[in-house]
Amino acid sequence: MRARPIALLSSCFLLSLGCGEDPRPGADTDTGAQTTIDSGLTPGSDSDDATSAPTTGGGNSGTGTTGQDPTGMSSETSADITTADPPGTTTEEPTGTTGGGDPVPGALCEPIPKCDAAPPTIPGQGAPESDLSRGRDMFYVEGEQQWVLAKFTKWGFPADKDIEGGAVHLFLDRGCGGVWEELGVAITTVEGEHAPVQGVDDSGGRVYYKISQSDQLEPGRHRVHGVVEEFWNTVDIIIDVVPAGAPIFVSDVDGTLTTSENEEAWDFLLGDIPEANPFAAEALGLLAAKGYRPMYLTARPEWLDRRTREFVALRGFPAGIIHTTLTYTGGMGDTAAAYKSGEFQLLKDKGLVPTWLFGNKDSDAEAFESTMIPTDHRVLFQFTDAIHGARRIDSYQELLAEFEALPDLCDR
């Protein structure tokens, strides 16, 4: 992806998110202080592969350009790296649960880890050049090949230009326990250099880091932090490893959870975070408390990944996997429906089918139809689906008693 004229990009942004609603007040969250790690991270070379990434002291060497597996370079040989902050691993205990039968495999039976330990840095790291680089959260089922996926860009909005050939240092907080390991180093791609992985096409500036067998992530929630040399731009990625059939719910964001379809466009320009629809966070929190794993699926542009994470956290929604589109302009109408249908197919291929779905437009109703789940579990906020028969609600308050009465999937 190359730099674009400002006027064109601004138009694409407003068209993709819509404009015309009054902005609403919001507030950005502050970022935590970083913990510097002086572990001798100095780029090197791999004599067996001229195109491989530099290596860290004891870490893996991820390719990111050739797709080769960095086998035989396990981070087990690296010393664990612990931040000075105590691990903040859990949220408040779920409430409102009732006893049920045997626990459902993959149910979310422990408080969701916060995964908020201060991230590590590398020697000489300065302030990030921009904050629009983004990671790709992932569900992986047990036994599936695991990848770290990200995109690194510079210059920020609206000239979001790929960083090609950059060395990215990757760190792992295994189990979100607050202990950082050196995972390895990957090299960002030139557009079209790498084959697609997990539905992620190579648009340039991508990281495709194949986690070696010795470093495989166990069931649970994990966090990966990446920092690219020279520009110091960073990404954070959440990976949930679950069994096939794990219960999940999926929600759209704009207009479904935010108070209008177009609020994010205005709030982005104002530096605010959108407000949430009343009772939306409570309703989805009840599902999480019953054992359902959250996922947020939005047709926003990819570079709004970080703001989407801020919205989920700031407005009190349960932490989950977050997916935007993989494009600069996002999607509307048929494009949004096709994108979300493709995401549902990727989940299905893993053996994961959502139990509850939330949206607010005809494109959501169309994508929901591809899942074939019962229509009363396809919830549309203040929108009537005359074609597929999804269920309409006018307030999330309508769902609270129903969700409170759902069986506890964890037999608590």
Side-chain angles (χ1 to χ4, degrees), residues 6 17 34 59 90 127 187 198 249 277 360 410:
I6 292 177
L17 292 181
Q34 291 182 326
T90 60
I187 298 297
Q198 296 287 331
F249 68 83
N277 284 315
N360 75 311
C410 299

PDB file of all heavy atoms in Angstrom, residues 6 17 34 59 90 127 187 198 249 277 360 410:
ATOM      1  N   ILE A   6      -4.170  13.283   0.703  1.00  0.00           N
ATOM      2  CA  ILE A   6      -4.965  13.502   1.909  1.00  0.00           C
ATOM      3  C   ILE A   6      -6.438  13.596   1.589  1.00  0.00           C
ATOM      4  O   ILE A   6      -7.280  13.007   2.260  1.00  0.00           O
ATOM      5  CB  ILE A   6      -4.474  14.777   2.624  1.00  0.00           C
ATOM      6  CG1 ILE A   6      -3.081  14.553   3.189  1.00  0.00           C
ATOM      7  CG2 ILE A   6      -5.446  15.200   3.724  1.00  0.00           C
ATOM      8  CD1 ILE A   6      -2.489  15.774   3.852  1.00  0.00           C
ATOM      9  N   LEU A  17     -17.273   5.022   6.880  1.00  0.00           N
ATOM     10  CA  LEU A  17     -17.922   5.023   8.186  1.00  0.00           C
ATOM     11  C   LEU A  17     -19.209   5.820   8.201  1.00  0.00           C
ATOM     12  O   LEU A  17     -20.027   5.667   9.101  1.00  0.00           O
ATOM     13  CB  LEU A  17     -16.971   5.611   9.233  1.00  0.00           C
ATOM     14  CG  LEU A  17     -15.743   4.776   9.537  1.00  0.00           C
ATOM     15  CD1 LEU A  17     -14.919   5.460  10.600  1.00  0.00           C
ATOM     16  CD2 LEU A  17     -16.129   3.383   9.979  1.00  0.00           C
ATOM     17  N   GLN A  34       5.906   1.872  29.654  1.00  0.00           N
ATOM     18  CA  GLN A  34       6.610   0.697  29.178  1.00  0.00           C
ATOM     19  C   GLN A  34       7.747   0.347  30.115  1.00  0.00           C
ATOM     20  O   GLN A  34       8.280   1.181  30.841  1.00  0.00           O
ATOM     21  CB  GLN A  34       7.172   0.960  27.780  1.00  0.00           C
ATOM     22  CG  GLN A  34       6.076   1.077  26.721  1.00  0.00           C
ATOM     23  CD  GLN A  34       6.686   1.284  25.358  1.00  0.00           C
ATOM     24  OE1 GLN A  34       7.720   1.920  25.214  1.00  0.00           O
ATOM     25  NE2 GLN A  34       6.064   0.738  24.346  1.00  0.00           N
ATOM     26  N   GLY A  59      16.231 -15.955  20.889  1.00  0.00           N
ATOM     27  CA  GLY A  59      14.860 -15.996  20.393  1.00  0.00           C
ATOM     28  C   GLY A  59      14.772 -16.736  19.088  1.00  0.00           C
ATOM     29  O   GLY A  59      15.748 -17.170  18.505  1.00  0.00           O
ATOM     30  N   THR A  90      -6.729 -10.638  35.920  1.00  0.00           N
ATOM     31  CA  THR A  90      -8.140 -10.981  35.898  1.00  0.00           C
ATOM     32  C   THR A  90      -9.015  -9.770  36.091  1.00  0.00           C
ATOM     33  O   THR A  90      -8.630  -8.773  36.676  1.00  0.00           O
ATOM     34  CB  THR A  90      -8.484 -11.992  37.014  1.00  0.00           C
ATOM     35  OG1 THR A  90      -8.156 -11.412  38.282  1.00  0.00           O
ATOM     36  CG2 THR A  90      -7.713 -13.288  36.831  1.00  0.00           C
ATOM     37  N   ALA A 127      10.254   6.886  21.008  1.00  0.00           N
ATOM     38  CA  ALA A 127       8.808   7.054  20.885  1.00  0.00           C
ATOM     39  C   ALA A 127       8.344   6.561  19.522  1.00  0.00           C
ATOM     40  O   ALA A 127       9.048   6.717  18.516  1.00  0.00           O
ATOM     41  CB  ALA A 127       8.440   8.526  21.062  1.00  0.00           C
ATOM     42  N   ILE A 187      10.499 -10.202   9.635  1.00  0.00           N
ATOM     43  CA  ILE A 187      10.737  -9.117   8.688  1.00  0.00           C
ATOM     44  C   ILE A 187       9.425  -8.809   7.975  1.00  0.00           C
ATOM     45  O   ILE A 187       8.755  -9.713   7.460  1.00  0.00           O
ATOM     46  CB  ILE A 187      11.819  -9.497   7.660  1.00  0.00           C
ATOM     47  CG1 ILE A 187      13.158  -9.753   8.354  1.00  0.00           C
ATOM     48  CG2 ILE A 187      11.976  -8.393   6.618  1.00  0.00           C
ATOM     49  CD1 ILE A 187      13.746  -8.559   9.056  1.00  0.00           C
ATOM     50  N   GLN A 198      -4.673 -17.506   7.220  1.00  0.00           N
ATOM     51  CA  GLN A 198      -5.857 -17.217   8.017  1.00  0.00           C
ATOM     52  C   GLN A 198      -6.687 -16.095   7.392  1.00  0.00           C
ATOM     53  O   GLN A 198      -7.242 -15.241   8.086  1.00  0.00           O
ATOM     54  CB  GLN A 198      -5.462 -16.852   9.444  1.00  0.00           C
ATOM     55  CG  GLN A 198      -4.787 -17.973  10.213  1.00  0.00           C
ATOM     56  CD  GLN A 198      -5.761 -19.083  10.619  1.00  0.00           C
ATOM     57  OE1 GLN A 198      -6.944 -18.847  10.817  1.00  0.00           O
ATOM     58  NE2 GLN A 198      -5.250 -20.301  10.743  1.00  0.00           N
ATOM     59  N   PHE A 249     -19.770 -15.775  21.048  1.00  0.00           N
ATOM     60  CA  PHE A 249     -20.742 -14.878  20.436  1.00  0.00           C
ATOM     61  C   PHE A 249     -19.979 -13.826  19.649  1.00  0.00           C
ATOM     62  O   PHE A 249     -18.822 -13.520  19.949  1.00  0.00           O
ATOM     63  CB  PHE A 249     -21.680 -14.251  21.470  1.00  0.00           C
ATOM     64  CG  PHE A 249     -21.045 -13.271  22.416  1.00  0.00           C
ATOM     65  CD1 PHE A 249     -20.854 -11.936  22.064  1.00  0.00           C
ATOM     66  CD2 PHE A 249     -20.649 -13.669  23.688  1.00  0.00           C
ATOM     67  CE1 PHE A 249     -20.285 -11.023  22.942  1.00  0.00           C
ATOM     68  CE2 PHE A 249     -20.076 -12.769  24.589  1.00  0.00           C
ATOM     69  CZ  PHE A 249     -19.894 -11.439  24.210  1.00  0.00           C
ATOM     70  N   ASN A 277     -24.392   2.058  23.380  1.00  0.00           N
ATOM     71  CA  ASN A 277     -25.831   1.976  23.585  1.00  0.00           C
ATOM     72  C   ASN A 277     -26.132   1.508  25.007  1.00  0.00           C
ATOM     73  O   ASN A 277     -25.446   0.618  25.531  1.00  0.00           O
ATOM     74  CB  ASN A 277     -26.460   1.011  22.576  1.00  0.00           C
ATOM     75  CG  ASN A 277     -26.579   1.630  21.204  1.00  0.00           C
ATOM     76  OD1 ASN A 277     -27.005   2.772  21.060  1.00  0.00           O
ATOM     77  ND2 ASN A 277     -26.198   0.873  20.174  1.00  0.00           N
ATOM     78  N   ASN A 360     -26.866  -4.606  13.225  1.00  0.00           N
ATOM     79  CA  ASN A 360     -27.862  -3.542  13.137  1.00  0.00           C
ATOM     80  C   ASN A 360     -28.207  -3.139  11.703  1.00  0.00           C
ATOM     81  O   ASN A 360     -28.873  -2.130  11.495  1.00  0.00           O
ATOM     82  CB  ASN A 360     -27.374  -2.287  13.881  1.00  0.00           C
ATOM     83  CG  ASN A 360     -26.301  -1.534  13.112  1.00  0.00           C
ATOM     84  OD1 ASN A 360     -25.326  -2.138  12.645  1.00  0.00           O
ATOM     85  ND2 ASN A 360     -26.456  -0.230  12.973  1.00  0.00           N
ATOM     86  N   CYS A 410     -20.567 -23.497  32.616  1.00  0.00           N
ATOM     87  CA  CYS A 410     -19.404 -23.945  33.388  1.00  0.00           C
ATOM     88  C   CYS A 410     -19.770 -24.799  34.601  1.00  0.00           C
ATOM     89  O   CYS A 410     -18.889 -25.157  35.387  1.00  0.00           O
ATOM     90  CB  CYS A 410     -18.594 -22.738  33.831  1.00  0.00           C
ATOM     91  SG  CYS A 410     -17.950 -21.775  32.457  1.00  0.00           S
TER      92      CYS A 410
END
